[in-house]
Amino acid sequence: MWRAAQAVLGTPRIPLLPRRSMSTSTLHSQKSAALTVTPKTGLADELLHIQVEGLGPRERATLRPSAVSFRGRPFHSLAHYEADGRGGLDRARAPAVGGDFTGVEPMGLLWSLSRVGCEDPCFNQVPRGVVRSPLNVEVTVHRAPRQPAVSLGPALASAQVQRWFSSPELRRARLQAGRLRGVFLLPAGA
């Protein structure tokens, strides 16, 4: 059939080389990752358990939490990790090999959140008034860039979590006596 088409079109005879189609091994190397972050809702100082499955063996990955303060200011951090021999990553055991911190830091992805575009290390993301609303954090996993100056590629997976700076059941009472002013926070229960 190809020879007939060449004759009709008048194209010169070019030897046909077998083309490689996308094989299943290529498809398996591009499999998607699964990201699990627990608990979905918790207090700000409660440990986040983060696991990634479906990476390649010893593949480098970047975890990036992003949040927006109640005033609309964006915050983010990132840390680079290396998957184990099965392509899994358990942040409780795997040390960060670069990014905003290194080593095993259970709360590193949260304490290293910094305001986007702000170089002041003293500026933090916990403004007054966050007691009544949570900080919504999106955690994404990316393939780690080969060079530090290269931006992250598309997210392989993402998860949403809420971090509260106080228990939602906490009762607040404003105090004022003369020049003394404050807020009394009363937990639920006896």
Side-chain angles (χ1 to χ4, degrees):
M1 182 168 108
W2 183 252
R3 287 186 184 138
Q6 284 179 332
V8 170
L9 296 173
T11 57
R13 194 172 260 216
I14 301 171
L16 295 177
L17 299 173
R19 291 186 139 187
R20 278 192 225 183
S21 62
M22 184 176 270
S23 68
T24 55
S25 62
T26 307
L27 290 173
H28 287 301
S29 69
Q30 296 176 358
K31 62 184 174 182
S32 64
L35 174 65
T36 306
V37 183
T38 54
K40 295 288 183 197
T41 299
L43 294 174
D45 61 350
E46 188 177 351
L47 291 179
L48 279 178
H49 189 89
I50 300 174
Q51 289 184 301
V52 182
E53 295 294 330
L55 299 170
R58 304 285 175 221
E59 181 178 2
R60 291 186 122 202
T62 298
L63 289 174
R64 179 186 183 103
S66 301
V68 176
S69 73
F70 85 106
R71 291 187 178 152
R73 295 179 177 137
F75 288 81
H76 68 119
S77 66
L78 61 85
H80 308 295
Y81 295 89
E82 184 177 302
D84 61 21
R86 298 181 295 90
L89 170 63
D90 186 350
R91 203 180 61 78
R93 290 181 288 197
V97 294
D100 292 331
F101 60 91
T102 58
V104 177
E105 289 284 344
M107 296 297 286
L109 289 173
L110 295 180
W111 65 246
S112 65
L113 282 170
S114 60
R115 187 169 162 202
V116 175
C118 182
E119 298 297 323
D120 184 1
C122 296
F123 190 91
N124 67 36
Q125 76 279 6
V126 187
R128 294 179 317 192
V130 297
V131 173
R132 295 177 188 227
S133 60
L135 181 66
N136 294 312
V137 181
E138 179 181 29
V139 180
T140 56
V141 61
H142 305 262
R143 283 188 174 39
R146 296 188 191 278
Q147 299 173 358
V150 176
S151 64
L152 294 175
L156 302 174
S158 67
Q160 302 279 336
V161 294
Q162 286 187 338
R163 310 312 288 170
W164 288 86
F165 291 92
S166 72
S167 172
E169 300 86 31
L170 197 65
R171 292 188 317 208
R172 299 169 41 102
R174 292 203 174 268
L175 302 175
Q176 183 173 352
R179 291 178 30 197
L180 178 65
R181 288 174 176 48
V183 176
F184 180 66
L185 303 173
L186 183 65

